[in-house]
Amino acid sequence: MNTTPAHNEVLRTDYQRAVAAYWDTHRNDSVNLVLGDIDGIYHHHYGIGPYDSTVLDDAAPDRDRRIVHELHRMENAQADLLLDHLEPLTRDSRVLDAGSGRGGTGLMAHRRFGCRVDGVTISEYQVGFANRQAERHGVAEQVRFHFRNMLDTGFSTGSRDAVWTDETTMYVDLDEAFAEFARLLAPGGRYVCITGCSNDATGYRSRAVSRIDSHYTCTIHPRSAYFKALAAHGLVPITVLDLTAQTLLYWGLRARSSLATGIEEAFLTAYREGSFHYLLIAADRV
């Protein structure tokens, strides 16, 4: 029987408590809610292109409405690309969304594969929101979200056929996270990560990357740290995709929408100057 861990068992450090407080109090963020309201799939990640350039040709207010719909299509496309690299999964598969946010990708995974999905997040607000969405979609028996720490989930060793993280690894120590994912995965199981990471080759941290860190209360890891931590825990990359050019299109379009928050320029600058990369990494448990 699943039991909810005590608050101090999930949030073990001041930093974790600060991150949880950030997401628990950002309940009415316009971007995620406006985009998710389109089809009831709510994400906490960004998107990839290309996009339909004709959305820029319309006059207001149709122009902005079409841009918003296109932004949501692009974030769904990002989640679909992640799911492409989890294939093949079946109705009997058990998967974990580590840092599940408002639950959109978990719902998409169940819709595609019919698999059993568990999501974990340290935000109690996100847990409640995501579970309500699972109920509204009629899949609450198969898709469940839990107030748990991705570094120590409490799930059984070898119990998962797949694990993914989507723009959440910048909130955790990679060695701790990948050790837990390797423990959870059955031999041959698949881990897929989509993340922004800093460029080791530039030899410095740009102001734009530092601004992203500060804005989201996160710590962006260098690209090399991912591959070192994967290798240390028996997770062998089989696919690495550089999605930087594709996500630049998303950020450029969002900067021209009513949903722009001001952080868009930091992302655009960091990607364009080469100090920041957007990667998909798929790795198998050996």
Side-chain angles (χ1 to χ4, degrees):
M1 181 177 65
N2 285 329
T3 57
T4 301
H7 199 267
N8 61 358
E9 292 177 344
V10 176
L11 306 176
R12 298 178 178 179
T13 68
D14 288 341
Y15 175 67
Q16 290 173 2
R17 285 185 280 273
V19 171
Y22 176 91
W23 292 113
D24 282 342
T25 55
H26 283 66
R27 299 185 176 195
N28 298 316
D29 54 293
S30 59
V31 177
N32 296 125
L33 291 176
V34 169
L35 296 177
D37 283 346
I38 292 171
D39 62 0
I41 298 292
Y42 295 85
H43 295 294
H44 267 287
H45 65 250
Y46 305 120
I48 55 174
Y51 61 82
D52 179 1
S53 61
T54 67
V55 302
L56 300 174
D57 297 337
D58 286 348
D62 286 343
R63 180 179 186 271
D64 193 66
R65 178 187 57 79
R66 289 190 64 199
I67 290 175
V68 168
H69 277 253
E70 193 68 357
L71 289 171
H72 185 55
R73 187 196 61 76
M74 294 168 80
E75 64 175 2
N76 279 342
Q78 190 258 41
D80 273 325
L81 181 65
L82 185 154
L83 296 177
D84 288 344
H85 289 82
L86 294 177
E87 294 181 343
L89 294 174
T90 70
R91 295 180 63 85
D92 296 326
S93 300
R94 292 179 65 94
V95 304
L96 176 72
D97 183 352
S100 48
R102 286 193 171 102
T105 306
L107 293 171
M108 291 174 66
H110 176 74
R111 184 169 63 194
R112 183 188 292 204
F113 303 117
C115 56
R116 168 67 185 270
V117 180
D118 289 290
V120 296
T121 172
I122 60 174
S123 166
E124 292 179 279
Y125 161 70
Q126 289 180 348
V127 171
F129 186 100
N131 279 323
R132 287 192 295 274
Q133 297 312 306
E135 291 173 2
R136 289 169 183 166
H137 285 264
V139 296
E141 291 300 315
Q142 297 83 30
V143 182
R144 297 180 181 178
F145 300 93
H146 312 267
F147 176 56
R148 298 190 185 192
N149 194 317
M150 74 165 77
L151 302 179
D152 183 13
T153 62
F155 294 122
S156 300
T157 298
S159 63
R160 305 293 138 168
D161 299 292
V163 176
W164 73 80
T165 53
D166 197 347
E167 298 182 12
T168 60
T169 47
M170 61 284 297
Y171 290 101
V172 295
D173 179 273
L174 293 180
D175 274 310
E176 290 184 70
F178 292 172
E180 176 67 353
F181 302 160
R183 182 189 71 80
L184 291 169
L185 284 168
R190 174 66 55 86
Y191 168 59
V192 179
C193 169
I194 293 183
T195 189
C197 54
S198 59
N199 184 354
D200 299 83
T202 60
Y204 65 93
R205 292 291 301 280
S206 76
R207 290 183 179 179
V209 172
S210 295
R211 185 182 173 201
I212 296 168
D213 265 351
S214 177
H215 183 83
Y216 291 105
T217 319
C218 65
T219 303
I220 293 167
H221 303 292
R223 181 178 55 196
S224 62
Y226 282 88
F227 297 98
K228 289 177 182 177
L230 289 167
H233 299 289
L235 296 166
V236 179
I238 188 169
T239 302
V240 179
L241 299 178
D242 184 352
L243 303 176
T244 304
Q246 292 189 57
T247 200
L248 261 171
L249 296 172
Y250 168 89
W251 285 104
L253 184 61
R254 182 169 135 175
R256 303 174 73 171
S257 78
S258 62
L259 299 180
T261 63
I263 196 61
E264 292 79 13
E265 191 56 41
F267 279 93
L268 290 167
T269 298
Y271 285 132
R272 286 169 178 163
E273 72 186 8
S275 62
F276 199 40
H277 297 298
Y278 197 55
L279 297 186
L280 179 149
I281 306 168
D284 290 338
R285 175 72 168 99
V286 299

